[in-house]
Amino acid sequence: MTFSSIEFIVFFVIVYALILIFNLKIISEKVSEKKQLLIKHSILLLASYVFYGWWDWRFCFLMLLLTFVAFICARQIDKNKHRKLFQAIGVIVPLIVLCVFKYFNFFIMSFTDLFGIDNPGTLAIILPVGISFYTFQSMSYTMDVSRGHIKSHCIMNVALYVAFFPQLVAGPIVKASDFMPQLESNHKLKMADFREGIQIFTIGLFKKLVIADNLSVFVDDVFSKPLAFSSLSVILAVISYSIQIYCDFSGYSDMAIGVAKCFGYDFERNFNVPYLSKNVSEFWKRWHISLSSWLQQYLYISLGGNRKGKIRTYINLLLTMVLGGLWHGASYNFIIWGLLHGLALCAHKFYAKVNKPWKPNVVTKMLSVLGTYCFVCVCWVFFRAETLTLAMNVLGKMFIWTPGIVQVFSWTIFAVAVIIVSHGVVCFRKRKLDLDRVEGYYPVVNLNTVWGLTLFFVFWGIILCLAYTNANPFIYFQF
């Protein structure tokens, strides 16, 4: 069940209707606020496990295990009983689960290849969908309690935090200190929240079905056999993938944020026009914001951050990005991707320290944005290519002009046009509102007006007309 499927629409309507029934005045007057909150959380928790079990019900027990570990550890930390021991358990157990299911075979094969040992064989392990996300969430809860950001909560709230279905499979990674306080009050369903949430969901749906999925046809074709295509086609495919992964993942995040908003919960923005970044440091403040902030707060700072000297700062930064790359998948390609971004972050940090601050002009800003985008695109090659050999073939085609099949995909032209127009709008908005920097936003209209409703339904018509009809899973489901 994915956000872009008919099954999810039916699922959402049923869950929303069940909660709405208990919001009706005739029922809510007879039920206390505390019981209303318990009923709502029970419905959402059951719905979350149904949503996750739709893929494979067996892994619901794995998520339940991580929930109980986080709950017990947080309770003991709050009581100050063997605090350090339970802090360690709350982090180590999720990491063990993640390593066994996601990295065990990779580490075994890497070890045997490194030392020339006969491969003892690998385990036939199914990768649970979304495991990287809910393991991070369970760790976040334990660490936030241990750092005093929040107090421990009842098992119901902890279970709902870990399993809440809008962000369960592919994020955004919601920190416990941000979400748990929202569970303490009764967020009744409001039409204002529904109208805003459904529009944010629709924006994400457009990104996914119309742009990302249509681009996937061209991208998959070129990346499967790059040597058969001309350098121009390969470059266009790399540009297409940069737009595909942005629209695919930010589209999922928008849909998750929209669904949560419909139920009265607020998630932070996960993408903020990242391709307008003037350097790699700014890129990581705009791209997958929930992951980059998680890595900074829980990994980079835990390693020592910038508190242990210059050399250690660069090592911590590099190690954080390499582990961030490995988090995406058990592959050398992801390690290289993380390493490249880590080196770029270190280089920018060093450059910023040795150079005096100066105010760049418009041309310099544009060149900085273009340079950052080109670097990110080169890195995306390692992220997308299935093997290191294919990645090197793509890079070879990009930097050494060679002939081959010339294909200018029409959806690439359409996607580039949409990106340019939408980014142009936010730049114009920055100037009009005199903002400090370019900020993305959700163009939500007033659905109480005829004009607003017309725009909304026209937009839905465009989606239905242009949507890619073949089912295409979200890219981040594999992580």
Side-chain angles (χ1 to χ4, degrees), residues 141-276:
Y141 176 69
T142 305
M143 295 171 79
D144 279 353
V145 172
S146 67
R147 293 178 177 182
H149 295 164
I150 56 172
K151 293 289 185 180
S152 61
H153 289 70
C154 66
I155 185 65
M156 172 72 77
N157 285 8
V158 177
L160 185 55
Y161 163 66
V162 174
F164 191 39
F165 73 87
Q167 47 76 49
L168 173 61
V169 178
I173 302 170
V174 183
K175 292 189 286 291
S177 55
D178 292 334
F179 188 63
M180 297 304 282
Q182 297 187 57
L183 295 178
E184 294 175 355
S185 58
N186 189 6
H187 290 264
K188 292 188 176 181
L189 302 184
K190 300 176 183 177
M191 279 307 299
D193 288 337
F194 182 83
R195 286 192 292 265
E196 182 178 345
I198 200 66
Q199 290 184 73
I200 296 172
F201 178 90
T202 304
I203 292 168
L205 195 67
F206 174 83
K207 290 180 179 179
K208 168 62 177 172
L209 294 184
V210 176
I211 299 180
D213 285 359
N214 279 304
L215 286 177
S216 68
V217 178
F218 177 49
V219 172
D220 293 347
D221 197 23
V222 174
F223 270 85
S224 64
K225 43 183 180 298
L227 296 180
F229 289 86
S230 66
S231 293
L232 174 62
S233 299
V234 171
I235 291 172
L236 289 175
V238 172
I239 293 172
S240 297
Y241 182 68
S242 72
I243 300 174
Q244 180 199 353
I245 191 170
Y246 168 64
C247 289
D248 188 282
F249 193 23
S250 69
Y252 184 94
S253 296
D254 291 344
M255 285 187 266
I257 292 168
V259 171
K261 186 65 178 177
C262 288
F263 289 107
Y265 300 104
D266 292 313
F267 289 168
E268 293 293 328
R269 180 187 297 275
N270 204 25
F271 289 84
N272 189 10
V273 285
Y275 290 150
L276 288 180

Side-chain angles (χ1 to χ4, degrees), residues 1-3 5 7-8 11 50-51 54-55 169 477:
M1 188 192 308
T2 64
F3 286 161
S5 66
E7 290 90 344
F8 177 77
F11 167 81
V50 170
F51 179 80
W54 199 270
W55 278 280
V169 178
F477 277 13

Side-chain angles (χ1 to χ4, degrees), residues 30-304:
K30 298 177 182 178
V31 181
S32 65
E33 284 282 328
K34 189 175 182 180
K35 285 187 177 180
Q36 285 184 49
L37 188 60
L38 179 62
I39 291 169
K40 180 181 180 181
H41 287 177
S42 300
I43 293 172
L44 287 175
L45 182 59
L46 178 60
S48 297
Y49 272 84
V50 170
F51 179 80
Y52 190 66
W54 199 270
W55 278 280
D56 194 326
W57 62 270
R58 294 171 297 177
F59 293 124
C60 289
F61 295 103
L62 182 64
M63 191 163 59
L64 197 59
L65 168 67
L66 293 176
T67 298
F68 274 109
V69 168
F71 169 72
I72 293 169
C73 290
R75 275 295 170 92
Q76 297 304 311
I77 291 169
D78 243 3
K79 294 176 181 177
N80 215 17
K81 292 182 178 179
H82 306 290
R83 188 180 183 87
K84 290 186 178 179
L85 172 63
F86 284 102
Q87 284 177 354
I89 293 173
V91 173
I92 292 173
V93 171
L95 285 178
I96 290 174
V97 169
L98 186 62
C99 287
V100 168
F101 280 93
K102 193 168 183 176
Y103 303 110
F104 182 82
N105 288 337
F106 173 71
F107 289 146
I108 290 295
M109 292 176 66
S110 299
F111 182 82
T112 55
D113 289 345
L114 182 63
F115 294 99
I117 304 172
D118 290 336
N119 194 330
T122 56
L123 297 179
I125 299 176
I126 300 173
L127 181 64
V129 63
I131 188 172
S132 297
F133 290 91
Y134 60 77
T135 50
F136 270 31
Q137 299 240 140
S138 65
M139 283 190 286
S140 170
Y141 176 69
T142 305
M143 295 171 79
D144 279 353
V145 172
S146 67
R147 293 178 177 182
H149 295 164
I150 56 172
K151 293 289 185 180
S152 61
H153 289 70
C154 66
I155 185 65
M156 172 72 77
N157 285 8
V158 177
L160 185 55
Y161 163 66
V162 174
F164 191 39
F165 73 87
Q167 47 76 49
L168 173 61
V169 178
I173 302 170
V174 183
K175 292 189 286 291
S177 55
D178 292 334
F179 188 63
M180 297 304 282
Q182 297 187 57
L183 295 178
E184 294 175 355
S185 58
N186 189 6
H187 290 264
K188 292 188 176 181
L189 302 184
K190 300 176 183 177
M191 279 307 299
D193 288 337
F194 182 83
R195 286 192 292 265
E196 182 178 345
I198 200 66
Q199 290 184 73
I200 296 172
F201 178 90
T202 304
I203 292 168
L205 195 67
F206 174 83
K207 290 180 179 179
K208 168 62 177 172
L209 294 184
V210 176
I211 299 180
D213 285 359
N214 279 304
L215 286 177
S216 68
V217 178
F218 177 49
V219 172
D220 293 347
D221 197 23
V222 174
F223 270 85
S224 64
K225 43 183 180 298
L227 296 180
F229 289 86
S230 66
S231 293
L232 174 62
S233 299
V234 171
I235 291 172
L236 289 175
V238 172
I239 293 172
S240 297
Y241 182 68
S242 72
I243 300 174
Q244 180 199 353
I245 191 170
Y246 168 64
C247 289
D248 188 282
F249 193 23
S250 69
Y252 184 94
S253 296
D254 291 344
M255 285 187 266
I257 292 168
V259 171
K261 186 65 178 177
C262 288
F263 289 107
Y265 300 104
D266 292 313
F267 289 168
E268 293 293 328
R269 180 187 297 275
N270 204 25
F271 289 84
N272 189 10
V273 285
Y275 290 150
L276 288 180
S277 304
K278 295 184 289 295
N279 52 67
V280 180
S281 297
E282 185 181 347
F283 175 80
W284 278 104
K285 292 176 182 177
R286 293 176 176 271
W287 177 274
H288 202 348
I289 299 169
S290 63
L291 175 64
S292 56
S293 62
W294 197 100
L295 291 173
Q296 181 186 39
Q297 292 183 29
Y298 299 111
L299 182 56
Y300 176 70
I301 292 176
S302 297
L303 289 171

Side-chain angles (χ1 to χ4, degrees), residues 339-355:
L339 179 63
L340 289 173
H341 275 279
L343 290 171
L345 287 171
C346 290
H348 179 258
K349 194 175 188 69
F350 178 78
Y351 175 82
K353 283 191 174 183
V354 300
N355 284 274

